[in-house]
Amino acid sequence: MSKHIKSGIIYLLLGGFFIYWAETHSPKKIGQAIGNAFSGSYTMDETSYYICLAIGVVIALLGVKKMIGK
């Protein structure tokens, strides 16, 4: 496997983690917010939710670009 494909996969996994993290701590889902409160976790505010989603998408797209580019 080439270096570009390996780094592309790492970027995709990292971007996927950011998207997963944002979705599991979403301020939009009331049931999830209540569950987070009882489990000791937290719910993001809207600004940090959208920032985390944007970072995840950008990193994932960079991973796709690295995999396709070379």
Side-chain angles (χ1 to χ4, degrees), residues 11-28:
Y11 277 111
L12 276 172
L13 291 173
L14 188 60
F17 174 75
F18 272 98
I19 294 169
Y20 169 77
W21 184 265
E23 286 300 317
T24 57
H25 295 87
S26 172
K28 301 284 184 184

mmCIF file of all heavy atoms in Angstrom, residues 11-28:
data_model
loop_
_atom_site.group_PDB
_atom_site.id
_atom_site.type_symbol
_atom_site.label_atom_id
_atom_site.label_comp_id
_atom_site.label_asym_id
_atom_site.label_seq_id
_atom_site.Cartn_x
_atom_site.Cartn_y
_atom_site.Cartn_z
ATOM 1 N N TYR A 11 -6.659 9.930 7.558
ATOM 2 C CA TYR A 11 -7.459 11.157 7.529
ATOM 3 C C TYR A 11 -8.955 10.843 7.510
ATOM 4 O O TYR A 11 -9.741 11.514 8.175
ATOM 5 C CB TYR A 11 -7.099 12.023 6.321
ATOM 6 C CG TYR A 11 -5.887 12.884 6.521
ATOM 7 C CD1 TYR A 11 -4.708 12.625 5.835
ATOM 8 C CD2 TYR A 11 -5.908 13.975 7.376
ATOM 9 C CE1 TYR A 11 -3.589 13.412 6.010
ATOM 10 C CE2 TYR A 11 -4.799 14.770 7.557
ATOM 11 C CZ TYR A 11 -3.637 14.488 6.869
ATOM 12 O OH TYR A 11 -2.538 15.278 7.060
ATOM 13 N N LEU A 12 -9.340 9.827 6.750
ATOM 14 C CA LEU A 12 -10.756 9.445 6.716
ATOM 15 C C LEU A 12 -11.244 8.970 8.083
ATOM 16 O O LEU A 12 -12.339 9.337 8.525
ATOM 17 C CB LEU A 12 -10.983 8.334 5.692
ATOM 18 C CG LEU A 12 -11.169 8.765 4.255
ATOM 19 C CD1 LEU A 12 -11.181 7.549 3.345
ATOM 20 C CD2 LEU A 12 -12.446 9.548 4.092
ATOM 21 N N LEU A 13 -10.438 8.170 8.755
ATOM 22 C CA LEU A 13 -10.823 7.701 10.082
ATOM 23 C C LEU A 13 -10.898 8.853 11.081
ATOM 24 O O LEU A 13 -11.825 8.913 11.901
ATOM 25 C CB LEU A 13 -9.837 6.638 10.570
ATOM 26 C CG LEU A 13 -9.883 5.308 9.836
ATOM 27 C CD1 LEU A 13 -8.746 4.402 10.310
ATOM 28 C CD2 LEU A 13 -11.220 4.636 10.026
ATOM 29 N N LEU A 14 -9.951 9.763 11.012
ATOM 30 C CA LEU A 14 -9.958 10.907 11.918
ATOM 31 C C LEU A 14 -11.164 11.811 11.650
ATOM 32 O O LEU A 14 -11.847 12.245 12.587
ATOM 33 C CB LEU A 14 -8.660 11.699 11.771
ATOM 34 C CG LEU A 14 -8.414 12.820 12.764
ATOM 35 C CD1 LEU A 14 -8.370 12.267 14.182
ATOM 36 C CD2 LEU A 14 -7.114 13.516 12.440
ATOM 37 N N GLY A 15 -11.462 12.073 10.379
ATOM 38 C CA GLY A 15 -12.639 12.863 10.032
ATOM 39 C C GLY A 15 -13.924 12.185 10.466
ATOM 40 O O GLY A 15 -14.844 12.825 10.976
ATOM 41 N N GLY A 16 -13.983 10.867 10.282
ATOM 42 C CA GLY A 16 -15.152 10.107 10.729
ATOM 43 C C GLY A 16 -15.340 10.172 12.227
ATOM 44 O O GLY A 16 -16.462 10.248 12.723
ATOM 45 N N PHE A 17 -14.222 10.161 12.973
ATOM 46 C CA PHE A 17 -14.320 10.273 14.421
ATOM 47 C C PHE A 17 -14.889 11.620 14.831
ATOM 48 O O PHE A 17 -15.749 11.689 15.706
ATOM 49 C CB PHE A 17 -12.955 10.072 15.086
ATOM 50 C CG PHE A 17 -12.990 10.324 16.562
ATOM 51 C CD1 PHE A 17 -13.566 9.404 17.410
ATOM 52 C CD2 PHE A 17 -12.485 11.494 17.090
ATOM 53 C CE1 PHE A 17 -13.630 9.638 18.775
ATOM 54 C CE2 PHE A 17 -12.532 11.740 18.453
ATOM 55 C CZ PHE A 17 -13.107 10.813 19.299
ATOM 56 N N PHE A 18 -14.444 12.704 14.194
ATOM 57 C CA PHE A 18 -14.973 14.032 14.526
ATOM 58 C C PHE A 18 -16.465 14.108 14.231
ATOM 59 O O PHE A 18 -17.236 14.672 15.015
ATOM 60 C CB PHE A 18 -14.238 15.130 13.750
ATOM 61 C CG PHE A 18 -13.007 15.632 14.429
ATOM 62 C CD1 PHE A 18 -11.755 15.158 14.072
ATOM 63 C CD2 PHE A 18 -13.089 16.583 15.431
ATOM 64 C CE1 PHE A 18 -10.614 15.614 14.697
ATOM 65 C CE2 PHE A 18 -11.954 17.057 16.058
ATOM 66 C CZ PHE A 18 -10.711 16.564 15.694
ATOM 67 N N ILE A 19 -16.891 13.546 13.115
ATOM 68 C CA ILE A 19 -18.314 13.557 12.762
ATOM 69 C C ILE A 19 -19.112 12.717 13.754
ATOM 70 O O ILE A 19 -20.173 13.129 14.230
ATOM 71 C CB ILE A 19 -18.506 13.069 11.313
ATOM 72 C CG1 ILE A 19 -17.886 14.075 10.343
ATOM 73 C CG2 ILE A 19 -19.984 12.842 11.004
ATOM 74 C CD1 ILE A 19 -17.789 13.587 8.917
ATOM 75 N N TYR A 20 -18.583 11.543 14.102
ATOM 76 C CA TYR A 20 -19.251 10.688 15.091
ATOM 77 C C TYR A 20 -19.363 11.396 16.434
ATOM 78 O O TYR A 20 -20.413 11.354 17.082
ATOM 79 C CB TYR A 20 -18.473 9.374 15.236
ATOM 80 C CG TYR A 20 -18.927 8.534 16.399
ATOM 81 C CD1 TYR A 20 -20.102 7.799 16.320
ATOM 82 C CD2 TYR A 20 -18.194 8.490 17.580
ATOM 83 C CE1 TYR A 20 -20.532 7.039 17.392
ATOM 84 C CE2 TYR A 20 -18.614 7.733 18.652
ATOM 85 C CZ TYR A 20 -19.782 7.009 18.554
ATOM 86 O OH TYR A 20 -20.199 6.261 19.619
ATOM 87 N N TRP A 21 -18.291 12.029 16.859
ATOM 88 C CA TRP A 21 -18.280 12.725 18.151
ATOM 89 C C TRP A 21 -19.331 13.840 18.170
ATOM 90 O O TRP A 21 -20.052 14.011 19.152
ATOM 91 C CB TRP A 21 -16.894 13.296 18.411
ATOM 92 C CG TRP A 21 -16.765 13.941 19.754
ATOM 93 C CD1 TRP A 21 -16.905 15.257 20.048
ATOM 94 C CD2 TRP A 21 -16.486 13.289 20.990
ATOM 95 N NE1 TRP A 21 -16.715 15.461 21.391
ATOM 96 C CE2 TRP A 21 -16.466 14.269 21.998
ATOM 97 C CE3 TRP A 21 -16.249 11.973 21.338
ATOM 98 C CZ2 TRP A 21 -16.223 13.965 23.318
ATOM 99 C CZ3 TRP A 21 -16.001 11.677 22.658
ATOM 100 C CH2 TRP A 21 -15.990 12.677 23.628
ATOM 101 N N ALA A 22 -19.400 14.598 17.076
ATOM 102 C CA ALA A 22 -20.380 15.685 17.008
ATOM 103 C C ALA A 22 -21.801 15.138 17.054
ATOM 104 O O ALA A 22 -22.672 15.695 17.727
ATOM 105 C CB ALA A 22 -20.168 16.504 15.745
ATOM 106 N N GLU A 23 -22.040 14.040 16.346
ATOM 107 C CA GLU A 23 -23.392 13.489 16.301
ATOM 108 C C GLU A 23 -23.810 12.871 17.631
ATOM 109 O O GLU A 23 -24.985 12.911 17.984
ATOM 110 C CB GLU A 23 -23.518 12.453 15.186
ATOM 111 C CG GLU A 23 -23.565 13.075 13.807
ATOM 112 C CD GLU A 23 -24.735 14.018 13.633
ATOM 113 O OE1 GLU A 23 -25.862 13.702 14.057
ATOM 114 O OE2 GLU A 23 -24.517 15.097 13.067
ATOM 115 N N THR A 24 -22.882 12.294 18.372
ATOM 116 C CA THR A 24 -23.259 11.690 19.644
ATOM 117 C C THR A 24 -23.396 12.713 20.764
ATOM 118 O O THR A 24 -23.929 12.392 21.823
ATOM 119 C CB THR A 24 -22.249 10.612 20.080
ATOM 120 O OG1 THR A 24 -20.951 11.195 20.146
ATOM 121 C CG2 THR A 24 -22.259 9.443 19.119
ATOM 122 N N HIS A 25 -22.934 13.941 20.542
ATOM 123 C CA HIS A 25 -23.066 15.005 21.542
ATOM 124 C C HIS A 25 -23.855 16.188 20.972
ATOM 125 O O HIS A 25 -23.620 17.338 21.324
ATOM 126 C CB HIS A 25 -21.680 15.460 22.010
ATOM 127 C CG HIS A 25 -20.938 14.386 22.730
ATOM 128 N ND1 HIS A 25 -20.165 13.472 22.063
ATOM 129 C CD2 HIS A 25 -20.872 14.067 24.039
ATOM 130 C CE1 HIS A 25 -19.641 12.642 22.939
ATOM 131 N NE2 HIS A 25 -20.062 12.975 24.150
ATOM 132 N N SER A 26 -24.780 15.887 20.084
ATOM 133 C CA SER A 26 -25.542 16.885 19.362
ATOM 134 C C SER A 26 -26.528 17.639 20.258
ATOM 135 O O SER A 26 -27.218 17.033 21.073
ATOM 136 C CB SER A 26 -26.327 16.209 18.237
ATOM 137 O OG SER A 26 -27.217 17.100 17.633
ATOM 138 N N PRO A 27 -26.622 18.963 20.089
ATOM 139 C CA PRO A 27 -27.622 19.724 20.844
ATOM 140 C C PRO A 27 -29.017 19.607 20.229
ATOM 141 O O PRO A 27 -29.995 20.014 20.827
ATOM 142 C CB PRO A 27 -27.110 21.156 20.746
ATOM 143 C CG PRO A 27 -26.383 21.197 19.453
ATOM 144 C CD PRO A 27 -25.752 19.837 19.315
ATOM 145 N N LYS A 28 -29.118 19.024 19.047
ATOM 146 C CA LYS A 28 -30.392 18.935 18.339
ATOM 147 C C LYS A 28 -31.268 17.784 18.833
ATOM 148 O O LYS A 28 -32.465 17.819 18.692
ATOM 149 C CB LYS A 28 -30.146 18.743 16.835
ATOM 150 C CG LYS A 28 -29.351 19.848 16.197
ATOM 151 C CD LYS A 28 -30.200 21.050 16.009
ATOM 152 C CE LYS A 28 -29.408 22.123 15.274
ATOM 153 N NZ LYS A 28 -30.137 23.329 15.141
#
